[in-house]
Each structure stands twice: as structure tokens, then as C-alpha cells.
Amino acid sequence: MADIISLGEAISRHVNDGDCIALEGFTHLIPTAASHEIIRQGKQNLHLVRMTPDLVYDLLIGAGCARKLTFSWGGNPGVGSLHRLRDAVEKQWPNALEIDEHSHADLANAYVAGASGLPFALLRAYAGSDLPKVNPSIKFITCPFTGEKLAATPAVRPDVTVIHAQKADRKGNVLLWGILGVQKEAALAAKRCIVTVEEIVDDLNAPMNACVLPGWALSAVCHVPGGAHPSYAHGYYERDNRFYQAWDPIARDREAFSAWIDEYIRGTRDFGEFQQKIAEAK
Amino acid sequence: MMSSDYSTNEMMTVAAARRLKNGAVCFVGIGLPSKAANLARLTSSPDVVLIYESGPIGAKPSVLPLSIGDGELAETADTVVPTGEIFRYWLQGGRIDVGFLGAAQVDKYGNINTTVIGDYHNPKVRLPGAGGAPEIAGSAKEVLIILKQSHRTFVDRLAFITSVGFGEGCDHRQQLGLPGKGPVGIITDLCIMEPEAGTHEFIVTALHPGVTREQVIEHTGWAIRFAEQVIETAPPTEAELQALRALEARTAAAHGQAGGEE
């Protein structure tokens, strides 16, 4: 059953050093506030899983929280590189980062397998690609019925998944809509799941067949309005493209990055205070 | 009516857009492919179905998306499905006519690198990685590739094949058992290349107006060959240019930038 608690308490209770953790949200509903809180609480040695590392993992990698990254596309969308990710891969700063690299189809299927309680994902993929040569976790098996060679990759089973959503009700049932990415699969693949939401309402008024995650399948629901910034929350706010652009020079330089997280993340008590500080700096 | 006043980038986008037949179901990469695919939708191919890997099917954005999952793609789509479903039912299920891809580097057999320059484990430049491209390249019935041409982007041999075209050429792709036909065209700011029958090596089949063979040779990292009959690409029409410039202007007004050209 989901407890409706503060984000600080949820991270402290459910995220442990060394955990495998997935912060999902495919360009939409990216759980930025949760990544900040993980940095504030100094979580370490994490195995990060996410299709598109985006700014949330650039932050966690640069802050030294990560030991391993499982991913399938690691750029700053519409802008360029994720400099903290690149610096970790190319120059091992601030520490070496083990890379477990897949394609989108593979990783999406690996979440489906995880949510399905299966040990591996099966897909038609990678024939002729060099990725299986550099990633030992991508293997091939033969279909017992047709003899076709298919790709198999391990299911993703995070210790904890964090997603952001539009609404929860007071029992912790969660409704999300728009671009859904792999949020539902990531939530159900994990041992524990934290959801941050834009608002908590009396009644979700969800249409039949809407994407609703029942509160009993979740661990914690946290009210964090604006928690997906600079990505967007459909129906609430748009993507802050200027922030994605402004991130480039901050992340490009180690000192500028460290100063930024010291001031804006480690130097604030919570996401609300961070938002206030960012607004004042504009 | 033809226009003589256009850029090489505009010629590239227009030439790519023309390759997308009306009614085709197209899996669209972000950046240049998305620009060309939307130009096709706004000009010659109003019934083209645009599918983005984030989940929108039948997206009809009025401005170019900055990311692969912009809200407008969802709002204008016929339906929005989860990302896993896009790859499982719609791509792997065999429903995509054309995969429209960009690339950091391409080789003479239409293989694509978007992963790394240099050694994988000790990279000179770490690129963003695969995204949806490997399975689009494998399973779409046909693939179109669009990118600006230079000897650094058009290389003889890739250090890393992220998404396969014709592999090592000849019947290699067939041997790999991939369901799709593979890349049928590479559209650049200088020319159009198509696979030669038999070898599946990409050769120049059309030069854009004003471009010389020497220019193409100079901007290609392998010993590029030319088809027996090389045609000249028709220059952009007024209607094509007008539609492209209006699309870019709307995008700039909405986003403050030209749209997802990383």
C-alpha cells in the first residue's frame, strides 16, 4: 500500500546505497525532483537504469552517486551531449562508470519482462550490430518452433523505480496520461516504487482503460508539483527548453557543475526551496 | 515553378521529403528525419502516417518537435501507445513501411554508427548511442538515411556498427535474416546515393543542382562511384520551399530554435 509521504522520507526509506534504481519517463514526466533528493541524501554506488539518461542521470553521475549505467540513448535531447555522462565514460570522472548499453526496443522489452516476472526479454534484434560484441548481457537464442535466431537480454528488475505522474487520489492510486514511455512497466518491474505527482485529488475521474497504477502496487506517493521540470507534465506545464540549453555549459565544466549542485541541490532543503532559488536566479 | 534561391540544407530536406510516398507508414527519427517527414506530410504526402518511438501513431505536429516525445506529438496523434508497444507490435509486428534515420557516421554499405568514435572501451568521442535505430534498421520494410555529407561522416569502414545496413555488402544482409529490405537511399546536402544491385555498395544516382562530382568525391571517405546514369535532382519548388520555411519559422517562434538538430 502506498504511503503518502514527503519525497525526502520516501527516498530515505526506499533507496539504499548500492541499489539498482530506475527513474523512468520518456522525455515526459521525468522525475527530476527525485534525482535531486538522491543527491541531497548522498546515496552512493547506485546502478542506474533508464532508457534515456537525460539530465536526471547526468546529475546523478556527475554527483558521484552511480557505479553502473544501463541505458539505450544518452544525449541531451535537441541540444547535444550529456557532458557528465561522457566525462565519466571517457575520463572516469568523478569515478569510473560501468556501461551496460542496449537499444530502446531491447530495454523496453527488458522492462516488460521484469514486470512479467520473466528472467529475460525476447526480441528480433541486433543481427549485424556490434552492440552484442561489447555487451556480454546481449545473447542470442534459437526459437524452438521455427529455428529463428532471436536476441535475449536479462529482465530489468530494479530494487526501486521512481516515476512522476499527473495525479494521485488520497488512497495513493495514480493516474498518468500522454506519452507513457515505459513508466507502467518500470513501476511493476521493481521491488519498490515511488511516485511523485503534480496533485493529490479526492477523485481521479479516470476514464475506463486509463493508465492507473493502483496504490496497493506502489510503495510511496509524494506530492511534488513541478517535480518533472525541465521536462513537461502534460496538462500542467510545458518542456522548459531553455533549461536544457542552459544545462549544456553548466555540465560541460566540472567546476561549474560542482558549484551548481552545491548551490542549488545540496544548498537547498527540498525541491520547493530549489524551485524558489532557481526562480530568484532568473 | 522552380526557385534558384535556396540553401544546400533546404535541398537535402526537400529531396528527402520527396522520397516519402503518400500513405506510407513511417517510423521517424528526431532531427533531420523528422523535419523531412513533416515536410512530406505538408506537401506531397498529406496522408503519410508518422510514428515516433515515444508512442504517438499518426502524429501531425504543426511545429517540429525538439525531443522525440514532445507533447504536441501526443496531442495531434491518432493514438498514443506505450513505448514497448511501439517496438513490439508496430515495428517488430511488421507494420512500418519506411524507417527514416539520421546518423553520426555511415559507411559504403549503409551501416550506421551512433555509438562511439574510437575504441568502444576507450572512446575518443562517446556518442549518444543506439536509441531505436538498430531495430528500425532491421525491421522497417525500407530505410531512408539523411545526413550532411563530409569525409568524416561518410567513412570507408565504421569503427562501430550500431545499426546495420547491408553489413559487409553483397548478400550479407540476407544472410543475417533481417526482415526489412535495408537502406534504399542516403540523402545528403550534395547528392542522393542508392545501393548498387549485387554489391549493395552505395553509389551516387543523383546530384543536386550545381554540385560537381569532384565535390562529392572530396566529401566522401571512401572511393565513391557514380551510377551509369546520374540524374540532376529537381530543385525545390516554390511550394516546397514555402512549406519548409513556414515550418521552420513556426518552430522557431514556438521553441526559440530550429528544432531538434543535434
Side-chain angles (χ1 to χ4, degrees):
Chain A
M1 195 69 202
D3 297 310
I4 299 179
I5 51 179
S6 74
L7 178 57
E9 196 181 341
I11 297 292
S12 156
R13 209 189 278 182
H14 294 295
V15 180
N16 304 312
D17 287 350
D19 272 356
C20 174
I21 179 168
L23 272 59
E24 271 299 350
F26 201 88
T27 74
H28 175 218
L29 298 172
I30 295 176
T32 306
S35 75
H36 288 191
E37 191 54 32
I38 290 167
I39 293 171
R40 260 185 220 106
Q41 295 191 18
K43 303 291 183 186
Q44 284 187 333
N45 220 16
L46 300 173
H47 171 189
L48 305 176
V49 186
R50 188 176 152 75
M51 290 179 66
T52 58
D54 206 89
L55 273 46
V56 275
Y57 280 6
D58 218 27
L59 275 166
L60 289 171
I61 292 164
C65 302
R67 70 179 152 86
K68 180 175 177 181
L69 172 69
T70 296
F71 77 111
S72 46
W73 190 85
N76 180 346
V79 180
S81 290
L82 291 176
H83 297 290
R84 292 300 96 224
L85 166 59
R86 275 186 61 177
D87 203 16
V89 174
E90 293 171 10
K91 309 224 167 68
Q92 293 80 51
W93 191 92
N95 51 268
L97 183 70
E98 187 189 339
I99 290 291
D100 170 36
E101 183 167 8
H102 300 260
S103 70
H104 278 351
D106 170 354
L107 204 42
N109 273 287
Y111 276 118
V112 173
S116 309
L118 289 170
F120 68 91
L122 183 64
L123 67 159
R124 185 178 291 116
Y126 292 124
S129 169
D130 285 339
L131 270 165
K133 295 180 191 163
V134 295
N135 187 343
S137 76
I138 300 170
K139 303 215 183 281
F140 293 94
I141 63 168
T142 304
C143 168
F145 305 104
T146 63
E148 186 179 356
K149 196 175 148 193
L150 296 162
T153 60
V156 174
R157 303 295 306 271
D159 293 305
V160 54
T161 284
V162 187
I163 60 169
H164 188 79
Q166 280 102 338
K167 282 182 191 181
D169 66 17
R170 296 184 200 288
K171 290 177 180 163
N173 300 307
V174 166
L175 170 65
L176 58 159
W177 69 87
I179 303 269
L180 295 175
V182 292
Q183 278 101 319
K184 183 176 184 174
E185 292 79 7
L188 298 179
K191 298 187 186 107
R192 303 180 292 280
C193 182
I194 301 169
V195 186
T196 57
V197 293
E198 288 299 322
E199 59 175 333
I200 294 179
V201 297
D202 290 328
D203 190 340
L204 292 176
N205 285 314
M208 206 182 288
N209 306 116
C211 185
V212 172
L213 296 168
W216 59 261
L218 307 171
S219 313
V221 169
C222 316
H223 183 216
V224 189
H229 176 272
S231 80
Y232 70 104
H234 214 131
Y236 290 80
Y237 46 91
E238 296 198 345
R239 185 179 195 261
D240 183 355
N241 192 51
R242 284 192 174 78
F243 192 93
Y244 277 87
Q245 290 168 327
W247 185 249
D248 187 85
I250 297 167
R252 199 178 276 273
D253 182 78
R254 289 175 186 172
E255 280 174 24
F257 169 81
S258 298
W260 193 90
I261 56 167
D262 278 347
E263 173 156 12
Y264 289 101
I265 298 180
R266 294 187 181 119
T268 54
R269 256 179 314 158
D270 57 26
F271 196 69
E273 205 176 295
F274 164 84
Q275 285 170 307
Q276 209 177 341
K277 198 157 183 172
I278 281 281
E280 283 163 10
K282 270 188 181 168
Chain B
M1 203 182 118
M2 308 292 190
S3 170
S4 56
D5 188 21
Y6 58 88
S7 71
T8 53
N9 282 341
E10 287 174 331
M11 182 71 257
M12 169 170 65
T13 305
V14 166
R18 288 175 187 157
R19 298 289 297 242
L20 212 52
K21 292 190 191 80
N22 198 22
V25 178
C26 179
F27 201 121
V28 190
I30 200 67
L32 289 173
S34 172
K35 188 190 278 191
N38 277 289
L39 178 62
R41 186 177 59 78
L42 294 166
T43 53
S44 55
S45 304
D47 294 324
V48 70
V49 179
L50 303 188
I51 297 187
Y52 287 78
E53 65 194 15
S54 57
I57 295 177
K60 296 166 274 291
S62 63
V63 303
L64 295 170
L66 290 178
S67 78
I68 201 80
D70 274 18
E72 209 204 348
L73 296 176
E75 279 164 6
T76 61
D78 299 328
T79 182
V80 183
V81 303
T83 296
E85 183 182 319
I86 279 283
F87 287 107
R88 289 158 70 87
Y89 299 169
W90 301 87
L91 177 62
Q92 194 172 263
R95 294 180 179 276
I96 305 297
D97 296 321
V98 182
F100 212 153
L101 300 174
Q105 285 185 320
V106 68
D107 71 12
K108 62 183 167 195
Y109 295 120
N111 302 304
I112 290 172
N113 175 20
T114 52
T115 302
V116 73
I117 310 276
D119 178 59
Y120 182 83
H121 297 286
N122 187 19
K124 200 151 67 172
V125 182
R126 177 61 235 200
L127 300 166
E135 287 74 35
I136 299 171
S139 286
K141 289 175 193 155
E142 295 185 348
V143 171
L144 290 172
I145 301 168
I146 176 170
L147 81 158
K148 288 184 76 165
Q149 197 169 342
S150 83
H151 71 277
R152 287 197 327 195
T153 53
F154 282 68
V155 301
D156 187 52
R157 226 183 151 73
L158 293 172
F160 194 95
I161 296 177
T162 313
S163 306
V164 74
F166 292 105
E168 289 160 23
C170 297
D171 65 345
H172 190 205
R173 184 181 173 96
Q174 216 181 335
Q175 283 175 31
L176 290 168
L178 295 160
K181 201 156 77 171
V184 295
I186 304 176
I187 297 98
T188 83
D189 50 337
L190 301 178
C191 66
I192 296 172
M193 301 178 188
E194 292 176 7
E196 182 183 51
T199 65
H200 288 124
E201 181 177 328
F202 274 81
I203 58 172
V204 176
T205 54
L207 288 169
H208 298 335
V211 175
T212 63
R213 290 184 178 217
E214 289 66 38
Q215 265 177 291
V216 172
I217 291 166
E218 193 189 327
H219 286 84
T220 311
W222 71 83
I224 182 79
R225 294 186 289 121
F226 294 79
E228 260 174 53
Q229 299 271 317
V230 176
I231 60 167
E232 185 177 278
T233 315
T237 64
E238 279 300 335
E240 286 168 332
L241 273 184
Q242 218 170 37
L244 174 57
R245 287 172 186 173
L247 176 63
E248 287 178 328
R250 285 197 301 274
T251 303
H255 297 313
Q257 74 174 68
E261 283 186 40
E262 72 269 39

Coordinates of all heavy atoms in Angstrom, one line a residue, chain A residues 211-273:
Chain A
C211 N -4.4 4.8 -17.9 CA -3.3 4.2 -17.2 C -3.3 4.6 -15.7 O -3.0 5.7 -15.3 CB -2.0 4.7 -17.8 SG -0.5 3.9 -17.1
V212 N -3.8 3.6 -14.9 CA -3.9 3.9 -13.5 C -3.1 2.8 -12.8 O -3.2 1.6 -13.1 CB -5.4 3.8 -13.0 CG1 -5.4 3.8 -11.4 CG2 -6.2 4.9 -13.5
L213 N -2.2 3.3 -11.9 CA -1.4 2.3 -11.1 C -2.1 2.3 -9.7 O -2.1 3.3 -9.0 CB 0.1 2.8 -11.0 CG 0.8 2.8 -12.3 CD1 2.2 3.6 -12.1 CD2 1.1 1.4 -12.8
P214 N -2.6 1.1 -9.3 CA -3.3 1.0 -8.0 C -2.3 1.3 -6.9 O -1.2 0.8 -6.9 CB -3.8 -0.4 -8.0 CG -3.4 -1.1 -9.3 CD -2.5 -0.2 -10.0
G215 N -2.8 2.0 -5.9 CA -2.0 2.3 -4.7 C -1.4 1.1 -4.1 O -0.3 1.1 -3.6
W216 N -2.1 0.0 -4.1 CA -1.6 -1.2 -3.4 C -0.3 -1.8 -4.1 O 0.4 -2.6 -3.5 CB -2.7 -2.3 -3.2 CG -3.3 -2.8 -4.5 CD1 -4.5 -2.4 -5.0 CD2 -2.8 -3.8 -5.4 NE1 -4.8 -3.0 -6.2 CE2 -3.8 -3.9 -6.4 CE3 -1.7 -4.6 -5.4 CZ2 -3.6 -4.8 -7.5 CZ3 -1.5 -5.5 -6.5 CH2 -2.5 -5.6 -7.5
A217 N -0.1 -1.4 -5.4 CA 1.1 -1.9 -6.1 C 2.3 -1.0 -5.9 O 3.3 -1.2 -6.5 CB 0.7 -2.1 -7.5
L218 N 2.1 0.1 -5.2 CA 3.1 1.1 -5.0 C 3.6 1.2 -3.6 O 2.9 0.7 -2.7 CB 2.6 2.5 -5.5 CG 2.0 2.5 -6.9 CD1 1.3 3.9 -7.1 CD2 3.0 2.3 -7.9
S219 N 4.8 1.8 -3.4 CA 5.4 1.9 -2.0 C 5.1 3.3 -1.4 O 4.7 3.4 -0.2 CB 6.9 1.7 -2.0 OG 7.2 0.6 -2.8
A220 N 5.3 4.3 -2.2 CA 5.1 5.7 -1.7 C 4.6 6.6 -2.8 O 5.0 6.5 -4.0 CB 6.4 6.2 -1.1
V221 N 3.7 7.6 -2.4 CA 3.3 8.6 -3.3 C 3.6 9.9 -2.6 O 3.4 10.1 -1.4 CB 1.8 8.5 -3.6 CG1 1.3 9.8 -4.3 CG2 1.5 7.3 -4.4
C222 N 4.3 10.8 -3.4 CA 4.7 12.1 -2.8 C 4.2 13.3 -3.7 O 4.3 13.2 -4.9 CB 6.3 12.1 -2.9 SG 7.1 10.6 -2.3
H223 N 3.7 14.3 -3.0 CA 3.2 15.4 -3.7 C 4.3 16.4 -4.0 O 4.8 17.0 -3.1 CB 2.1 16.1 -2.8 CG 1.4 17.3 -3.5 ND1 1.1 18.4 -2.8 CD2 1.1 17.5 -4.8 CE1 0.5 19.2 -3.7 NE2 0.6 18.7 -4.9
V224 N 4.7 16.4 -5.3 CA 5.8 17.3 -5.7 C 5.5 18.1 -6.9 O 5.9 17.7 -8.0 CB 7.1 16.5 -5.9 CG1 8.3 17.5 -6.1 CG2 7.4 15.5 -4.8
P225 N 4.7 19.1 -6.8 CA 4.3 19.9 -8.0 C 5.5 20.4 -8.7 O 6.5 20.9 -8.1 CB 3.4 21.0 -7.5 CG 3.5 21.0 -6.0 CD 4.1 19.7 -5.6
G226 N 5.5 20.3 -10.0 CA 6.7 20.8 -10.8 C 7.9 19.8 -10.8 O 8.9 20.2 -11.3
G227 N 7.7 18.7 -10.2 CA 8.8 17.7 -10.0 C 9.4 17.1 -11.2 O 10.4 16.5 -11.1
A228 N 8.8 17.3 -12.4 CA 9.3 16.8 -13.6 C 10.1 17.9 -14.4 O 10.6 17.6 -15.5 CB 8.2 16.2 -14.5
H229 N 10.1 19.1 -13.9 CA 10.9 20.2 -14.6 C 12.4 19.8 -14.7 O 12.9 19.2 -13.8 CB 10.8 21.5 -13.8 CG 11.6 22.6 -14.4 ND1 12.9 22.8 -14.0 CD2 11.2 23.5 -15.3 CE1 13.3 23.9 -14.7 NE2 12.4 24.3 -15.5
P230 N 13.1 20.0 -15.8 CA 12.7 20.8 -17.0 C 11.9 20.0 -18.1 O 11.7 20.6 -19.1 CB 14.0 21.3 -17.5 CG 15.0 20.2 -17.2 CD 14.5 19.6 -15.9
S231 N 11.6 18.7 -17.9 CA 10.7 18.0 -18.8 C 9.3 18.5 -18.5 O 9.1 19.5 -17.7 CB 10.8 16.5 -18.7 OG 10.1 16.0 -17.6
Y232 N 8.3 18.0 -19.2 CA 7.0 18.5 -19.1 C 6.0 17.5 -18.4 O 6.3 16.4 -18.3 CB 6.5 19.0 -20.4 CG 6.1 17.9 -21.4 CD1 4.8 17.5 -21.6 CD2 7.1 17.2 -22.1 CE1 4.5 16.5 -22.5 CE2 6.8 16.2 -23.0 CZ 5.5 15.8 -23.2 OH 5.2 14.8 -24.1
A233 N 4.9 18.1 -17.9 CA 3.9 17.3 -17.4 C 2.6 17.6 -18.2 O 2.1 18.8 -18.0 CB 3.7 17.5 -15.9
H234 N 2.2 16.7 -19.0 CA 1.1 17.0 -19.9 C -0.2 17.5 -19.2 O -0.6 16.8 -18.2 CB 0.7 15.8 -20.7 CG 0.3 16.1 -22.1 ND1 0.8 15.5 -23.2 CD2 -0.6 17.0 -22.6 CE1 0.2 16.0 -24.3 NE2 -0.7 16.9 -24.0
G235 N -0.7 18.7 -19.5 CA -1.8 19.3 -18.8 C -1.4 20.2 -17.7 O -2.3 20.8 -17.1
Y236 N -0.1 20.2 -17.4 CA 0.3 21.1 -16.3 C 1.3 22.1 -16.7 O 1.2 23.3 -16.4 CB 0.9 20.2 -15.1 CG -0.2 19.4 -14.4 CD1 -0.7 18.2 -15.0 CD2 -0.8 19.9 -13.3 CE1 -1.7 17.5 -14.4 CE2 -1.8 19.2 -12.6 CZ -2.3 18.0 -13.2 OH -3.3 17.3 -12.6
Y237 N 2.4 21.7 -17.3 CA 3.4 22.7 -17.8 C 4.2 22.1 -18.9 O 4.2 20.8 -19.1 CB 4.4 23.1 -16.7 CG 4.9 22.0 -15.8 CD1 6.1 21.3 -16.2 CD2 4.2 21.6 -14.7 CE1 6.6 20.3 -15.4 CE2 4.7 20.5 -13.9 CZ 5.9 19.9 -14.2 OH 6.4 18.9 -13.5
E238 N 4.8 23.0 -19.7 CA 5.5 22.5 -20.9 C 7.0 22.3 -20.6 O 7.5 22.7 -19.6 CB 5.3 23.6 -22.0 CG 3.9 23.8 -22.4 CD 3.7 24.5 -23.7 OE1 4.7 25.1 -24.2 OE2 2.6 24.4 -24.3
R239 N 7.6 21.7 -21.6 CA 9.0 21.5 -21.5 C 9.8 22.8 -21.5 O 9.5 23.7 -22.3 CB 9.5 20.7 -22.8 CG 10.9 20.2 -22.8 CD 11.1 19.5 -24.1 NE 12.3 18.7 -24.1 CZ 13.5 19.1 -24.7 NH1 13.5 20.2 -25.3 NH2 14.5 18.3 -24.7
D240 N 10.7 22.9 -20.5 CA 11.5 24.2 -20.4 C 12.7 24.0 -21.2 O 13.8 23.6 -20.7 CB 11.8 24.4 -18.9 CG 12.6 25.7 -18.7 OD1 12.9 26.4 -19.7 OD2 12.8 26.1 -17.5
N241 N 12.6 24.3 -22.5 CA 13.7 24.0 -23.4 C 14.9 24.9 -23.1 O 16.1 24.4 -23.3 CB 13.3 24.3 -24.9 CG 14.3 23.8 -25.8 OD1 14.7 22.6 -25.7 ND2 14.7 24.6 -26.7
R242 N 14.7 26.1 -22.6 CA 15.8 26.9 -22.2 C 16.7 26.3 -21.1 O 17.9 26.5 -21.1 CB 15.3 28.3 -21.8 CG 14.9 29.1 -23.0 CD 14.7 30.6 -22.7 NE 14.4 31.2 -24.0 CZ 13.2 31.2 -24.6 NH1 12.2 30.5 -24.1 NH2 13.1 31.8 -25.8
F243 N 16.0 25.6 -20.2 CA 16.8 24.9 -19.2 C 17.7 23.8 -19.8 O 18.9 23.7 -19.4 CB 15.9 24.3 -18.1 CG 16.7 23.9 -16.9 CD1 16.8 24.7 -15.8 CD2 17.3 22.6 -16.8 CE1 17.6 24.4 -14.7 CE2 18.0 22.2 -15.7 CZ 18.2 23.1 -14.7
Y244 N 17.2 23.1 -20.8 CA 18.0 22.0 -21.4 C 19.2 22.7 -22.1 O 20.3 22.1 -22.1 CB 17.2 21.3 -22.5 CG 16.4 20.1 -21.8 CD1 15.1 20.4 -21.3 CD2 16.9 18.9 -21.8 CE1 14.3 19.3 -20.8 CE2 16.1 17.8 -21.2 CZ 14.9 18.1 -20.7 OH 14.1 17.1 -20.1
Q245 N 19.0 23.9 -22.7 CA 20.1 24.6 -23.4 C 21.1 25.1 -22.3 O 22.3 25.0 -22.5 CB 19.6 25.7 -24.3 CG 18.8 25.1 -25.5 CD 18.0 26.2 -26.2 OE1 17.5 27.1 -25.6 NE2 17.9 26.1 -27.5
A246 N 20.5 25.7 -21.2 CA 21.4 26.3 -20.2 C 22.2 25.2 -19.5 O 23.3 25.5 -18.9 CB 20.5 27.0 -19.2
W247 N 21.7 23.9 -19.5 CA 22.4 22.9 -18.8 C 23.7 22.6 -19.5 O 24.7 22.2 -18.9 CB 21.5 21.6 -18.8 CG 22.2 20.5 -18.1 CD1 22.7 19.3 -18.5 CD2 22.4 20.5 -16.6 NE1 23.2 18.6 -17.5 CE2 23.1 19.2 -16.4 CE3 22.2 21.4 -15.6 CZ2 23.5 18.9 -15.1 CZ3 22.6 21.0 -14.3 CH2 23.2 19.8 -14.1
D248 N 23.8 22.8 -20.9 CA 25.0 22.4 -21.6 C 26.3 23.0 -21.1 O 27.2 22.3 -20.7 CB 24.8 22.7 -23.1 CG 25.9 22.2 -24.0 OD1 25.9 21.0 -24.3 OD2 26.9 23.0 -24.2
P249 N 26.3 24.4 -20.9 CA 27.6 25.0 -20.4 C 27.8 24.6 -18.9 O 29.0 24.5 -18.5 CB 27.4 26.5 -20.5 CG 25.9 26.7 -20.7 CD 25.4 25.4 -21.4
I250 N 26.7 24.4 -18.1 CA 26.9 24.0 -16.7 C 27.6 22.6 -16.6 O 28.6 22.4 -15.9 CB 25.6 24.0 -15.9 CG1 25.0 25.4 -15.9 CG2 25.8 23.5 -14.5 CD1 23.5 25.4 -15.4
A251 N 27.0 21.7 -17.4 CA 27.5 20.3 -17.3 C 28.8 20.1 -18.0 O 29.6 19.2 -17.8 CB 26.5 19.4 -17.9
R252 N 29.2 21.0 -18.9 CA 30.4 20.9 -19.7 C 31.6 21.0 -18.9 O 32.7 20.4 -19.2 CB 30.4 22.0 -20.8 CG 31.3 21.8 -22.0 CD 31.2 22.9 -23.0 NE 30.1 22.7 -23.9 CZ 30.2 22.0 -25.0 NH1 31.3 21.5 -25.4 NH2 29.1 21.9 -25.8
D253 N 31.5 21.8 -17.8 CA 32.7 22.1 -17.0 C 32.6 21.5 -15.6 O 31.5 21.7 -14.9 CB 32.8 23.6 -16.9 CG 34.0 24.1 -16.1 OD1 35.1 24.1 -16.7 OD2 33.8 24.4 -14.9
R254 N 33.6 20.7 -15.1 CA 33.5 20.0 -13.8 C 33.2 21.0 -12.7 O 32.4 20.8 -11.8 CB 34.8 19.3 -13.6 CG 34.9 18.1 -14.4 CD 36.3 17.4 -14.2 NE 36.5 16.3 -15.2 CZ 37.6 15.7 -15.3 NH1 38.7 16.0 -14.6 NH2 37.7 14.7 -16.2
E255 N 34.0 22.1 -12.7 CA 33.8 23.1 -11.6 C 32.5 23.8 -11.6 O 31.8 24.0 -10.6 CB 35.0 24.1 -11.6 CG 36.2 23.5 -11.0 CD 37.4 24.5 -11.2 OE1 37.2 25.7 -11.3 OE2 38.5 23.9 -11.2
A256 N 32.0 24.2 -12.8 CA 30.7 24.8 -12.9 C 29.6 23.9 -12.5 O 28.7 24.3 -11.7 CB 30.5 25.3 -14.4
F257 N 29.8 22.6 -12.8 CA 28.8 21.6 -12.4 C 28.8 21.4 -10.9 O 27.7 21.5 -10.3 CB 29.1 20.3 -13.1 CG 28.3 19.1 -12.6 CD1 27.0 18.9 -13.0 CD2 28.8 18.3 -11.6 CE1 26.2 17.9 -12.5 CE2 28.0 17.2 -11.1 CZ 26.7 17.0 -11.5
S258 N 29.9 21.2 -10.4 CA 30.0 21.0 -8.9 C 29.5 22.2 -8.1 O 28.8 22.0 -7.1 CB 31.5 20.7 -8.5 OG 31.9 19.5 -9.1
A259 N 29.8 23.4 -8.6 CA 29.3 24.6 -7.9 C 27.8 24.7 -8.0 O 27.1 25.1 -7.1 CB 30.0 25.8 -8.6
W260 N 27.3 24.3 -9.2 CA 25.8 24.3 -9.4 C 25.1 23.4 -8.5 O 24.1 23.8 -7.8 CB 25.5 24.0 -10.9 CG 24.1 24.3 -11.2 CD1 23.6 25.5 -11.7 CD2 22.9 23.5 -11.1 NE1 22.3 25.5 -12.0 CE2 21.8 24.2 -11.6 CE3 22.7 22.2 -10.7 CZ2 20.5 23.7 -11.6 CZ3 21.5 21.6 -10.7 CH2 20.4 22.4 -11.2
I261 N 25.6 22.1 -8.4 CA 24.8 21.2 -7.5 C 25.0 21.6 -6.0 O 24.1 21.4 -5.2 CB 25.1 19.7 -7.7 CG1 26.6 19.4 -7.6 CG2 24.5 19.2 -9.0 CD1 26.8 17.9 -7.6
D262 N 26.2 22.1 -5.7 CA 26.5 22.6 -4.3 C 25.5 23.7 -3.9 O 24.9 23.7 -2.8 CB 27.9 23.0 -4.1 CG 28.9 21.9 -3.9 OD1 28.4 20.8 -3.6 OD2 30.1 22.1 -4.0
E263 N 25.3 24.6 -4.8 CA 24.4 25.7 -4.5 C 22.9 25.3 -4.6 O 22.2 25.6 -3.7 CB 24.7 26.9 -5.5 CG 23.7 28.0 -5.3 CD 24.2 29.4 -5.7 OE1 25.2 29.4 -6.4 OE2 23.5 30.4 -5.3
Y264 N 22.6 24.7 -5.7 CA 21.1 24.6 -6.0 C 20.5 23.3 -5.4 O 19.4 23.2 -5.1 CB 20.8 24.7 -7.5 CG 21.0 26.1 -8.0 CD1 22.1 26.4 -8.7 CD2 20.0 27.0 -7.8 CE1 22.3 27.7 -9.2 CE2 20.2 28.3 -8.2 CZ 21.3 28.7 -8.9 OH 21.5 29.9 -9.4
I265 N 21.3 22.2 -5.3 CA 20.8 21.0 -4.8 C 21.2 20.7 -3.3 O 20.4 20.7 -2.4 CB 21.1 19.8 -5.7 CG1 20.5 20.0 -7.1 CG2 20.6 18.5 -5.1 CD1 20.8 19.0 -8.1
R266 N 22.5 20.6 -3.1 CA 23.0 20.4 -1.8 C 22.7 21.6 -0.9 O 22.6 21.5 0.4 CB 24.5 20.0 -1.7 CG 24.7 18.7 -2.4 CD 26.2 18.3 -2.3 NE 26.4 17.0 -3.0 CZ 27.3 16.8 -4.0 NH1 28.0 17.9 -4.4 NH2 27.5 15.7 -4.5
G267 N 22.6 22.8 -1.5 CA 22.4 24.0 -0.7 C 20.9 24.3 -0.5 O 20.6 25.4 0.0
T268 N 20.0 23.4 -0.9 CA 18.6 23.7 -0.6 C 18.0 22.5 0.2 O 18.6 21.4 0.1 CB 17.8 23.8 -1.9 OG1 18.0 22.7 -2.8 CG2 18.2 25.1 -2.7
R269 N 17.0 22.7 1.0 CA 16.4 21.7 1.8 C 15.6 20.7 1.1 O 15.6 19.5 1.4 CB 15.6 22.3 2.9 CG 16.3 22.4 4.3 CD 15.3 23.0 5.3 NE 14.8 24.2 4.7 CZ 13.6 24.8 5.0 NH1 12.9 24.3 6.0 NH2 13.2 25.9 4.4
D270 N 14.9 21.2 0.1 CA 14.0 20.3 -0.7 C 13.7 20.9 -2.1 O 14.2 22.0 -2.4 CB 12.7 20.0 0.1 CG 11.9 21.3 0.4 OD1 12.1 22.3 -0.3 OD2 11.2 21.2 1.4
F271 N 12.9 20.2 -2.9 CA 12.6 20.7 -4.2 C 11.9 22.0 -4.2 O 12.1 22.8 -5.1 CB 11.8 19.6 -5.0 CG 11.8 19.8 -6.5 CD1 13.0 19.6 -7.2 CD2 10.7 20.2 -7.2 CE1 13.0 19.8 -8.6 CE2 10.7 20.4 -8.5 CZ 11.9 20.2 -9.3
G272 N 11.0 22.3 -3.2 CA 10.4 23.5 -3.2 C 11.3 24.7 -3.0 O 11.2 25.7 -3.7
E273 N 12.3 24.5 -2.1 CA 13.3 25.5 -1.9 C 14.2 25.7 -3.2 O 14.6 26.8 -3.6 CB 14.2 25.2 -0.7 CG 14.8 26.4 -0.1 CD 15.6 26.0 1.2 OE1 14.9 25.5 2.2 OE2 16.8 26.2 1.2

